[in-house]
Amino acid sequence: MPRDWDAFYQKAREDRPPAFVVRAYGPFVPKGPVLDLAGGLGRNARYFLQRGHPVVLVEGSQEALRRLSGTPGLALVGLDLEAEEALTRLPQGPFVGIVMTYYVNRPLLKALPSLLSPGGLLLVEGFTRKEARRRGRPHSPFYWEGEELLTPPPGLALRAFGEGWMEGYRVYAVYLRP
């Protein structure tokens, strides 16, 4: 994982496709505002913007926020999601969709149900511990445990789950707020 996200985003391409979970389950997100957490250069946000959703993108990198500045329909929130006060400074919503891809923050995941409107979807995707071992990072906290996402955050119901090889060992889950 890059340690200097501003340097990373100075060179990163903006034209990457959205995460698999967004491409596959994004069409099922009801109309309304979407929250994109650790949104980077907005690959998932652009998907929802193109479908008429207003999007709030939360990102800690000032470079990523600079590059996204002025995007119509996109509200930007500069917030280090690793900071102690991050959970109290999240946008309040409610949101019909929340996206958290390739970012692992277990306390944050547990706090998201209260931001989701009834009928809303939480889309999560990332690499698994198996991928961490393959990359020589067996003790990194930035990977999901095998089958960890089968257990939904409190107040949500699991609607879809997948785990396996997709250019790396990945996992995704879709949760519904009933």
Side-chain angles (χ1 to χ4, degrees), residues 28-158:
F28 300 104
V29 171
K31 288 296 180 197
V34 170
L35 177 62
D36 186 358
L37 296 166
L41 292 178
R43 67 185 185 140
N44 297 317
R46 283 186 179 83
Y47 173 92
F48 287 107
L49 289 170
Q50 290 171 353
R51 283 150 185 80
H53 294 270
V55 177
V56 176
L57 183 140
V58 177
E59 174 57 51
S61 166
Q62 293 304 306
E63 176 62 19
L65 295 172
R66 183 192 67 75
R67 288 180 64 179
L68 289 168
S69 180
T71 302
L74 184 62
L76 300 173
V77 175
L79 178 62
D80 176 0
L81 291 169
E82 301 294 317
E84 195 171 303
E85 71 280 357
L87 294 178
T88 62
R89 295 189 51 222
L90 289 171
Q92 290 306 299
F95 297 97
V96 297
I98 300 176
V99 180
M100 191 167 91
T101 61
Y102 298 95
Y103 176 66
V104 176
N105 184 321
R106 290 164 179 91
L108 176 62
L109 184 64
K110 290 178 182 175
L112 296 178
S114 66
L115 303 179
L116 202 57
S117 63
L121 295 177
L122 169 57
L123 310 176
V124 180
E125 181 175 329
F127 290 113
T128 67
R129 180 73 48 208
K130 193 171 190 177
E131 180 67 11
R133 287 190 298 274
R134 190 178 80 84
R135 292 181 178 194
R137 301 175 188 152
H139 304 294
S140 172
F142 301 111
Y143 294 85
W144 297 107
E145 298 295 337
E147 300 181 357
E148 178 178 6
L149 294 179
L150 277 171
T151 303
L156 300 184
L158 180 67

